Amino acid sequence: MSKRISDDDEVGKEADIRSGPSSNRQVNPTLQQEQPYPHQHQVHKVGVPAKQNLFKEFRATVKETFFSDEPLRPFKDQTKRRKLVLGFEALFPILRWARDYNLTKFRGDLIAGLTIASLCIPQDLGYAKLANLPGQNGLYSSFVPPLVYAFMGSSRDIAIGPVAVVSLLLGTMVRNEVDPITNAHDYLRLTLTATFFAGVTQLTLGFFRLGFLIDFLSHASIVGFMGGAAITIALQQFKGLLGIKTFTKKTDIVSVMRSVFNAAHHGWNWQTILIGVSFLAFLLLTKYIGKKKKKLFWVPAIAPLISVIVSTFFVYITRADKEGVAIVSKIRKGINPASADLIYFTGDNVIKGFRIGVVAGMIALTEAIAIGRTFAGMKDYQLDGNKEMVALGTMNIIGSLTSCYVATGSFSRSAVNYMAGCHTAVSNIIMSLVVLLTLELITPLFKYTPNAILASIIISAVVGLIDLEAMKLIWKIDKLDFVACMGAFFGVVFISVEIGLLIAVSISFAKILLQVTRPRTALLGKLPRTNVYRNILQYPNATQIPGILIIRVDSAIYFSNSNYIKERILRWVTDEEEQLKQKSLPKIEYLIVEMSPVTDIDTSGIHALEELYRSLQKREIELVLANPGTVVMDKIHASEFVELIGKGKIFLSVADAILTFGPHHEEP
């Protein structure tokens, strides 16, 4: 049996034509072999796959769905002791790469760790404020989680800690349930509960290998959501940047700008504005320098810490806090206190914490996996998404027990980590140790740090989340993707973070449903002087065969689209018949459905083919199938559809069908 021919190119997927001219409609295959054509002209039969064992088929499907990467392959043919070692290495990747660790790698990790520590300390204070938490909770979240990730994570470059988008999301959703000012203790408890369930969500997805679920949030939606969140975060910083005391709790741009302008006459503080705007200009300038000259990556990395030190010293010696400049005030000294007793495990707040935690955990997971894959691609190593989820989930569960809120991979820190020359996750350990020293020794010095500095640090950090180039590219490539991007963007900016996220998810699912329920079909024609059939819209010089209509279906045929496909094919037939009638050309005698892109078919799909067959019979048109795949062939045989249309109406390729049913024609 000759191998089935299929074409996998993006636009065509049409079967190669291995035919020349044919002398009459029902050509004897034996006579065809004797004709002196330059190509092979034997009409091959479509092979019927052997019947598979139901259990084996089910097992193969489950394996391909959940274990496509074959995680147990390294354990094959190993001793029990070796399997135990491999099991520990799979759970703690540090045991594997630590064997090859050396002084050269440590030097790179040390520099990278110190560099990202200088960036993370001021950012942590700002992000904690964004989450409506005390500054020390931000520092806590850059101490314990990075240590856990260093032992369990598989990325060499990702830097762990609080991030702006998750901090805003968590702060907004928890504040909707508990007021952080009048009831700070319960607010902290609900935040820790949400962090616990965020970790449980991530760990569950990784353990049960359900990572593919986060892929349902499309790249375009993420770009729009991140851009909208960046603008929302920046707008929220007007309170600290302008020294406004009474500020709206809403996050939409209209409410924020109304609050800013209402406070213009009596609520702005010029000393605060001077500090905030001048250091914001300094931070943006250092980011520009770092972007233009890659070797100076350390300049924007240490700029936030320099800003904090200088501004804190300035406020201390001038006592600007007595002139209305808002300061951080006291930050609790010491390492993370245990917080297991603060997490809600009973009552109504469990449901609230679970709901908030699932949303925050999914967003944190999406960001971390995207960052990890980006840098893994740059360094050409594999990142196990399911192991990453287990590591991130475990670190957030442990973090929730040690006064941390949701931590994940930070793009700005990871970029600095990468450019600083990190080799392994030891850079996270170095950063964590620096944060430990900060918590033990330096936190009292942050007392006079102005809030305006934290606001300017956050604004400069989130500017990079607005990816205009990506938005332009999305517009060029896919207009529907651009709608999803803009829907998420405007939803976050004009309504709220939760609504923007809901819009992003809804549009992503809507796009999936649209593509599934309304697949593409194409009318094929033969390219002159070739043996290739292609879409006539893409190749206008492709010619149609008289009396034959060739249509390609570019999707699996399921219950969700079977009726549409049937009606779309009949519409093709009707349109073509009208055109032929106007031009007084021969009517259609055969409809060839090119099925190489049809990867699967269900009962509804076969039923639709049967209805199509009957409709064509009424029009005196014969239905012919070309190049059905293994799964499709197996199912149409099982349904006895083959007997309905006739075994002689199923061909290996469009070429064979044309050779059998096509009229006599000579190439020019």
Side-chain angles (χ1 to χ4, degrees):
M1 180 66 66
S2 188
K3 188 178 179 182
R4 186 171 65 86
I5 303 169
S6 63
D7 184 356
D8 295 326
D9 75 339
E10 182 181 354
V11 293
K13 295 185 178 178
E14 296 88 4
D16 288 340
I17 304 303
R18 298 174 181 258
S19 68
S22 168
S23 56
N24 50 60
R25 295 255 167 95
Q26 298 290 340
V27 181
N28 187 319
T30 307
L31 296 177
Q32 293 170 24
Q33 295 179 37
E34 297 172 356
Q35 295 173 354
Y37 295 134
H39 304 291
Q40 182 182 356
H41 297 286
Q42 181 181 359
V43 176
H44 299 280
K45 292 183 179 180
V46 178
V48 181
K51 205 69 178 174
Q52 290 190 5
N53 179 279
L54 182 62
F55 175 74
K56 288 183 178 179
E57 190 175 352
F58 176 75
R59 188 176 64 179
T61 303
V62 171
K63 181 181 177 182
E64 191 60 31
T65 303
F66 298 102
F67 304 98
S68 57
D69 56 342
E70 296 189 18
L72 300 179
R73 176 181 284 183
F75 294 85
K76 189 176 181 181
D77 300 327
Q78 299 291 340
T79 62
K80 290 184 178 180
R81 183 177 179 181
R82 181 58 183 163
K83 286 179 180 179
L84 183 64
V85 172
L86 290 173
F88 276 107
E89 288 182 353
L91 189 60
F92 303 104
I94 192 172
L95 298 176
R96 183 172 58 254
W97 55 257
R99 294 197 296 265
D100 301 321
Y101 202 68
N102 53 45
L103 189 61
T104 303
K105 290 181 179 179
F106 176 72
R107 190 183 300 116
D109 288 336
L110 178 64
I111 295 171
L114 294 174
T115 306
I116 58 176
S118 68
L119 176 63
C120 87
I121 292 169
Q123 280 188 350
D124 290 344
L125 298 176
Y127 293 158
K129 188 170 287 293
L130 200 59
N132 305 310
L133 293 169
Q136 65 264 18
N137 289 97
L139 293 172
Y140 294 160
S141 302
S142 280
F143 170 46
V144 172
L147 281 178
V148 176
Y149 182 84
F151 282 83
M152 298 188 68
S154 55
S155 173
R156 306 171 193 169
D157 305 280
I158 198 169
I160 297 296
V163 296
V165 174
V166 176
S167 299
L168 174 68
L169 182 66
L170 201 62
T172 303
M173 296 184 74
V174 177
R175 187 174 60 190
N176 290 339
E177 306 293 340
V178 182
D179 189 279
I181 299 174
T182 60
N183 202 349
H185 181 68
D186 285 348
Y187 181 90
L188 176 61
R189 291 192 67 183
L190 189 56
T191 302
L192 293 174
T193 304
T195 302
F196 175 81
F197 283 111
V200 170
T201 301
Q202 295 169 338
L203 179 61
T204 302
L205 289 174
F207 182 80
F208 290 104
R209 306 185 69 80
L210 300 173
F212 59 84
L213 293 177
I214 65 172
D215 293 331
F216 280 97
L217 203 59
S218 68
H219 172 70
S221 298
I222 293 172
V223 169
F225 175 76
M226 290 294 188
I231 290 178
T232 300
I233 291 167
L235 291 172
Q236 291 284 305
Q237 304 317 304
F238 280 163
K239 178 183 179 182
L241 200 66
L242 304 176
I244 301 172
K245 294 181 180 178
T246 305
F247 202 71
T248 180
K249 293 181 179 180
K250 296 180 179 179
T251 60
D252 64 282
I253 187 171
V254 176
S255 300
V256 170
M257 296 311 296
R258 185 185 294 125
S259 185
V260 169
F261 289 121
N262 287 342
H265 298 295
H266 56 83
W268 292 14
N269 181 277
W270 71 266
Q271 294 99 327
T272 301
I273 296 173
L274 178 63
I275 294 171
V277 172
S278 58
F279 279 100
L280 177 60
F282 168 69
L283 291 168
L284 293 176
L285 177 63
T286 57
K287 284 180 74 75
Y288 177 79
I289 292 171
K291 189 175 181 180
K292 286 294 181 182
K293 295 185 178 181
K294 299 296 183 184
K295 291 183 179 180
L296 298 178
F297 67 90
W298 53 271
V299 173
I302 65 170
L305 187 59
I306 292 173
S307 300
V308 167
I309 294 171
V310 173
S311 62
T312 302
F313 179 72
F314 174 77
V315 170
Y316 177 72
I317 63 172
T318 61
R319 296 317 303 266
D321 57 306
K322 296 184 181 296
E323 300 296 328
V325 175
I327 58 175
V328 171
S329 295
K330 187 177 180 180
I331 295 179
R332 181 175 173 176
K333 185 179 178 182
I335 61 171
N336 306 32
S339 58
D341 58 322
L342 297 179
I343 298 174
Y344 291 110
F345 291 108
T346 58
D348 295 339
N349 286 323
V350 176
I351 303 300
K352 295 175 183 177
F354 176 77
R355 178 174 52 83
I356 297 168
V358 169
V359 175
M362 291 291 281
I363 293 299
L365 198 58
T366 302
E367 187 169 356
I369 296 298
I371 292 168
R373 285 174 177 169
T374 298
F375 289 104
M378 293 168 69
K379 284 192 175 180
D380 194 26
Y381 65 90
Q382 294 296 317
L383 190 73
D384 189 322
N386 290 296
K387 287 182 182 177
E388 284 294 284
M389 292 174 201
V390 171
L392 293 165
T394 304
M395 82 177 189
N396 276 316
I397 291 173
I398 295 174
S400 69
L401 304 177
T402 53
S403 301
C404 306
Y405 73 97
V406 181
T408 187
S410 166
F411 186 79
S412 58
R413 294 183 210 178
S414 299
V416 170
N417 195 31
Y418 171 80
M419 290 187 288
C422 72
H423 293 282
T424 66
V426 169
S427 59
N428 273 292
I429 297 176
I430 302 296
M431 177 191 72
S432 184
L433 294 176
V434 173
V435 173
L436 169 64
L437 294 175
T438 303
L439 286 166
E440 288 287 3
L441 305 172
I442 306 174
T443 46
L445 301 179
F446 291 124
K447 179 180 178 180
Y448 291 98
T449 300
N451 288 339
I453 277 297
L454 301 183
S456 61
I457 288 171
I458 292 173
I459 292 173
S460 66
V462 299
V463 165
L465 295 178
I466 307 172
D467 198 341
L468 294 177
E469 291 301 318
M471 292 181 184
K472 291 178 183 176
L473 187 62
I474 291 168
W475 168 258
K476 290 179 182 177
I477 295 174
D478 193 320
K479 301 300 185 288
L480 193 59
D481 257 359
F482 186 75
V483 171
C485 179
M486 289 297 100
F489 178 83
F490 289 118
V492 173
V493 171
F494 286 100
I495 307 177
S496 68
V497 178
E498 302 99 303
I499 296 299
L501 182 59
L502 181 62
I503 290 173
V505 174
S506 300
I507 294 178
S508 296
F509 272 102
K511 185 181 178 185
I512 293 171
L513 290 174
L514 185 63
Q515 290 175 335
V516 169
T517 59
R518 293 294 182 268
R520 297 180 184 274
T521 56
L523 187 63
L524 308 185
K526 187 181 181 189
L527 297 180
R529 300 184 182 279
T530 72
N531 58 354
V532 176
Y533 281 82
R534 289 292 183 265
N535 189 339
I536 63 172
L537 292 179
Q538 186 180 4
Y539 299 93
N541 61 335
T543 57
Q544 294 179 247
I545 308 301
I548 296 179
L549 190 66
I550 310 169
I551 296 175
R552 189 187 70 234
V553 178
D554 290 337
S555 166
I557 306 176
Y558 293 127
F559 66 93
S560 58
N561 61 22
S562 58
N563 194 55
Y564 169 79
I565 290 173
K566 180 199 72 175
E567 292 178 351
R568 188 68 188 89
I569 292 174
L570 289 174
R571 200 155 71 245
W572 276 116
V573 173
T574 302
D575 292 344
E576 192 68 17
E577 284 182 328
E578 289 176 357
Q579 292 183 27
L580 293 173
K581 190 174 181 180
Q582 290 175 2
K583 298 177 182 178
S584 300
L585 293 173
K587 66 182 293 291
I588 299 172
E589 296 182 34
Y590 296 95
L591 170 68
I592 300 176
V593 180
E594 217 285 60
M595 301 187 73
S596 56
V598 181
T599 55
D600 201 356
I601 191 169
D602 66 1
T603 309
S604 298
I606 292 173
H607 186 62
L609 287 181
E610 291 172 350
E611 291 181 351
L612 174 64
Y613 170 77
R614 294 188 184 98
S615 297
L616 293 173
Q617 286 289 299
K618 293 176 183 178
R619 303 188 188 199
E620 297 182 347
I621 299 174
E622 294 294 328
L623 176 62
V624 179
L625 304 183
N627 201 16
T630 305
V631 175
V632 176
M633 197 64 192
D634 184 40
K635 291 184 178 181
I636 63 176
H637 261 277
S639 67
E640 299 182 354
F641 179 73
V642 175
E643 284 72 20
L644 179 66
I645 67 169
K647 294 182 179 179
K649 301 291 178 59
I650 301 178
F651 292 87
L652 180 67
S653 66
V654 174
D656 288 345
I658 296 296
L659 187 63
T660 303
F661 299 116
H664 176 75
H665 66 285
E666 294 292 339
E667 288 280 352

